[in-house]
Amino acid sequence: MRLVLRSLVLTALLSTPVLAQDQYSVGQFFKDLDRGEISTVQVDAYGNAHVEVRGGSPQNTVIPTSPDVLGRIRASGAELTVVGGGRSFGWIVQLLPVILTGLILFVFWRSMRGGGGGGASNTFGRSRAHVFSEGQVKVTFTDVAGCDEAKTDLQEVVEFLRSPERFHSLGARIPHGILLVGPPGSGKTLLAKAVAGEARVPYFSISGSDFVEMFVGVGAARVRDLFDQAKKAAPCIVFIDEIDAVGRKRGLNFNGGNDEREQTLNQLLVEMDGFESKHDIIVLAATNRPDVLDAALLRPGRFDRQVVVDAPDVRGREHILKIHARKKPLDPSVNLTTLAQRTPGMVGADLENLLNEAALLTARDGRGKITMRDLDEAADRVLMGPARKSRVVPEHDKKVTAYHEVGHALVAQLLPHADRVHKLTVVPRGGAAGYMLPLPTDRVHYTREVLEDSIAVALAGQAAEEVTFGDITTGAQSDFQKATNIARKMVTEWGMSEKLGKVANLSESDTFLGPVAQQGAYSQLTAQTIDDEVKRIIDTQYTRVRTLLQEYLPRVHAIVEELLVRETLSGEEFQTLLSGGRIEGGGMYAAGD
Ligand code: ADP
Ligand code: ZN
Ligand code: MG
């Protein structure tokens, strides 16, 4: 694997609290609304609503006050009155302490920031969960492309939500929390929505930053409220977008004020633990920073299942382009396959943006059809645009990555005791610029040969870079670490060094503490001998790998060329190329359309 570094900026939005409500839930409100059972709605600026239900008693609840929702109420035929200010005085009195504390904190916070920027006041009453009743989400899996593996993983969830009884009667356990992980713009939010659209169940969507308030206790109250609503609407989906805003590791924030976030997170954990299987609620969450999440969130019973939403490869990009071009008039000159080939590193959001730019260019010229030239120019704009620059892989980097990964793959395939190649790719995903995925073999014994070969495979990426470019990059650090770890264990734990003999368990604990922490467990001389032995093992394997790569150099060049065009190769495709064959057409990763 070769790593790249990326910086991400997360913005937390501010909004104001809307608290407490009666048993009449928003979910129920929307259900009644859609059935046309609501005759009048009186709502204030905070979303406090007084609702008259036909043939029932009047109800109080809190509803979103977005123009969307207000439009929907009118469209349903209900009489809508929007009243100025809060109606109920009792509500204010109950909340007085919270409001006062909040106000003080707010003033404090403003002065800390140097008083810049207003804006908090105009988010009053907004940014609560968006609620969609069943059948209201129109997005389905056909609107999402380039992440087939994620769709397959989520299909099970769809089946479950469609007919939970079937799963219950079989005693099957379904994961309640699923984390969608992937780079920004790869379609996580879209995919979550598509699950709701496929399953045709109610969908509660909220962003992690909506929970994060400066008012202590509000975030936690919102979480409680959200899950109360969800329980009433079950089977349903709760989607927490950008969960890292609320789910960051606790106790890492030194400038105070993280109490609120911790409380919110704790409440979320409590809610997820309180699930019984009779509540058919699936909680989906999305993040592009799984590394910063609190470990407690990932424990069994919480978000214990991860679904990776990858950046698309060339076939995925073509498919995405096709989806977003559906409603755009294209000139016959347009070739989306070519366009997909020249946009490596772009994710779904970029490609959608690209098509939109092209449409704007066309409209500006007063023409009626988008041509290939428009698309080319739009691609340049999106590629060169300063905001996207960091995400797009420069040609040279991609080439280095390709040699690196082919190095791993070639050595894995040629050495008798290494795992065969399953797939290799130069599409960047997560922090990796590319990777080679081996097909693990079931093994009972890890013999010296197996361990030596896996060290060789780990070193092969670096060796391939050195053989072809005469230089190695920093991207191989973790490979080197892996190789060293294995070598060290061979020497210290598994008695595989002739010099040290069968002195097993020189290292005292299971966790690898590194040479510094291990000092003292044995003499200085032994420490030196261990280091020498580790170095000897690594050097031997490195030389072996270099020789092998040199011998196969023409093949390496040929495979790299193919990998740069296709971006992803399956194990079979790689094997074919290695034995001098050619691969035709789309191969196993073709995006069927
Ligand atoms: P994320 O949540 O991963 O940051 P989004 O789901 O918000 O990404 O993607 C933004 C938009 O980009 C989507 O609304 C959709 O129009 C487009 N898009 C992103 N990924 C895909 C995809 N895989 N297939 C089709 N469209 C996509
Ligand atoms: Zn590597
Ligand atoms: Mg998103």
Side-chain angles (χ1 to χ4, degrees):
M1 180 162 88
R2 203 170 156 263
L3 298 171
V4 284
L5 292 174
R6 243 180 227 135
S7 78
L8 290 161
V9 182
L10 281 164
T11 38
L13 297 172
L14 278 170
S15 54
T16 349
V18 180
L19 260 188
Q21 62 177 296
D22 307 321
Q23 299 86 324
Y24 191 62
S25 71
V26 185
Q28 189 58 45
F29 169 76
F30 280 111
K31 265 188 195 158
D32 290 349
L33 192 69
D34 289 345
R35 287 200 210 103
E37 277 170 16
I38 290 180
S39 56
T40 58
V41 180
Q42 261 184 24
V43 63
D44 71 7
Y46 305 101
N48 297 305
H50 182 75
V51 180
E52 305 264 16
V53 187
R54 284 184 226 283
S57 50
Q59 300 284 0
N60 289 316
T61 186
V62 181
I63 63 171
T65 54
S66 66
D68 267 16
V69 172
L70 297 183
R72 238 173 98 189
I73 295 172
R74 284 196 193 94
S76 77
E79 193 189 326
L80 174 71
T81 324
V82 180
V83 293
R87 267 180 304 103
S88 132
F89 224 58
W91 182 80
I92 299 278
V93 172
Q94 266 182 12
L95 276 184
L96 212 55
V98 177
I99 291 171
L100 276 178
T101 322
L103 223 65
I104 292 163
L105 280 173
F106 183 61
V107 169
F108 186 55
W109 173 77
R110 280 288 285 267
S111 63
M112 297 259 302
R113 289 174 85 224
S121 58
N122 44 30
T123 56
F124 260 76
R126 274 198 273 128
S127 68
R128 303 196 69 239
H130 296 276
V131 187
F132 298 86
S133 46
E134 59 186 278
Q136 215 195 340
V137 177
K138 298 291 181 234
V139 179
T140 64
F141 281 162
T142 55
D143 298 305
V144 193
C147 43
D148 296 339
E149 285 166 37
K151 281 201 264 185
T152 313
D153 287 350
L154 291 169
Q155 187 59 42
E156 185 189 56
V157 174
V158 172
E159 303 290 337
F160 170 73
L161 288 166
R162 276 188 188 162
S163 43
E165 323 77 43
R166 196 156 59 83
F167 284 75
H168 291 316
S169 66
L170 289 170
R173 261 192 56 236
I174 283 285
H176 279 296
I178 298 173
L179 192 61
L180 305 177
V181 179
S186 58
K188 298 179 294 297
T189 308
L190 186 68
L191 200 54
K193 214 167 180 182
V195 173
E198 290 281 336
R200 290 183 293 274
V201 293
Y203 176 69
F204 297 78
S205 155
I206 194 158
S207 174
S209 50
D210 290 346
F211 287 129
V212 183
E213 295 287 344
M214 56 201 163
F215 299 91
V216 173
V218 171
R222 282 194 181 173
V223 171
R224 216 175 300 128
D225 181 56
L226 175 66
F227 280 90
D228 283 350
Q229 288 182 38
K231 278 173 199 159
K232 284 171 200 154
C236 69
I237 292 176
V238 171
F239 176 53
I240 305 173
D241 209 351
E242 286 158 34
I243 193 170
D244 38 304
V246 59
R248 269 168 193 266
K249 293 187 180 77
R250 283 167 289 189
L252 284 182
N253 192 347
F254 293 108
N255 46 17
N258 61 340
D259 262 15
E260 164 59 3
R261 207 174 46 73
E262 287 193 7
Q263 276 195 19
T264 310
L265 176 55
N266 287 337
Q267 187 63 37
L268 185 60
L269 298 176
V270 166
E271 293 292 347
M272 292 198 69
D273 289 344
F275 272 0
E276 290 145 50
S277 44
K278 69 177 196 293
H279 294 304
D280 297 320
I281 303 175
I282 300 275
V283 189
L284 297 176
T287 183
N288 45 39
R289 297 297 310 272
D291 51 318
V292 303
L293 292 184
D294 197 294
L297 267 175
L298 308 176
R299 258 181 229 140
R302 296 165 184 172
F303 294 100
D304 50 4
R305 175 92 68 97
Q306 294 202 3
V307 170
V308 178
V309 186
D310 280 335
D313 65 6
V314 64
R315 291 139 189 158
R317 290 198 300 272
E318 182 177 349
H319 203 166
I320 295 173
L321 284 167
K322 279 186 185 153
I323 288 177
H324 290 285
R326 277 192 302 222
K327 287 194 189 107
K328 297 200 162 62
L330 298 184
D331 188 83
S333 70
V334 169
N335 184 337
L336 294 181
T337 314
T338 316
L339 189 60
Q341 276 160 2
R342 64 157 298 197
T343 47
M346 282 199 193
V347 289
D350 296 325
L351 295 169
E352 186 191 11
N353 185 13
L354 188 164
L355 283 169
N356 193 47
E357 282 281 331
L360 289 174
L361 285 171
T362 314
R364 214 178 48 195
D365 282 3
R367 284 177 282 113
K369 290 223 157 97
I370 301 172
T371 64
M372 196 62 187
R373 270 194 49 201
D374 297 320
L375 289 167
D376 273 334
E377 197 178 330
D380 286 343
R381 286 189 178 201
V382 176
L383 277 169
M384 303 301 175
R388 301 269 180 243
K389 218 170 180 176
S390 63
R391 244 197 259 156
V392 172
V393 190
E395 209 51 43
H396 178 71
D397 278 17
K398 198 172 159 191
K399 208 163 162 183
V400 175
T401 305
Y403 275 101
H404 181 107
E405 301 310 333
V406 170
H408 282 309
L410 185 108
V411 171
Q413 204 74 13
L414 290 177
L415 294 185
H417 302 283
D419 292 334
R420 299 283 84 95
V421 176
H422 176 58
K423 163 179 168 178
L424 68 161
T425 181
V426 291
V427 178
R429 31 199 74 170
Y435 59 82
M436 188 278 285
L437 208 63
L439 197 66
T441 321
D442 273 334
R443 284 206 178 81
V444 186
H445 300 294
Y446 283 83
T447 60
R448 178 200 293 268
E449 286 83 10
V450 171
L451 295 167
E452 282 175 350
D453 282 3
S454 53
I455 293 176
V457 172
L459 294 172
Q462 221 169 336
E465 287 182 42
E466 203 204 324
V467 167
T468 47
F469 296 97
D471 201 9
I472 54 171
T473 63
T474 53
Q477 237 172 32
S478 64
D479 287 339
F480 191 69
Q481 203 118 57
K482 184 176 168 196
T484 321
N485 282 352
I486 300 174
R488 187 167 279 276
K489 285 204 161 149
M490 286 173 70
V491 175
T492 60
E493 288 181 28
W494 299 324
M496 290 181 181
S497 148
E498 268 117 54
K499 258 202 193 141
L500 280 156
K502 306 262 176 247
V503 199
N505 281 319
L506 279 174
S507 71
E508 294 194 304
S509 65
D510 283 339
T511 44
F512 179 69
L513 297 169
V516 179
Q518 281 180 359
Q519 267 176 18
Y522 34 75
S523 75
Q524 200 66 37
L525 184 67
T526 314
Q528 185 61 48
T529 316
I530 290 174
D531 286 349
D532 289 348
E533 282 293 279
V534 169
K535 186 166 183 309
R536 191 184 54 79
I537 294 177
I538 299 275
D539 286 350
T540 311
Q541 292 311 316
Y542 198 76
T543 314
R544 181 175 172 222
V545 166
R546 278 195 53 153
T547 316
L548 199 60
L549 286 166
Q550 222 111 38
E551 189 185 324
Y552 278 83
L553 203 54
R555 259 311 117 75
V556 171
H557 290 315
I559 300 173
V560 163
E561 211 164 286
E562 198 66 39
L563 180 59
L564 284 172
V565 176
R566 290 173 180 262
E567 295 186 358
T568 306
L569 292 174
S570 69
E572 284 127 73
E573 289 170 336
F574 177 78
Q575 180 58 55
T576 307
L577 291 170
L578 182 59
S579 44
R582 284 168 47 83
I583 44 176
E584 314 283 340
M588 75 175 273
Y589 285 96
D593 199 356

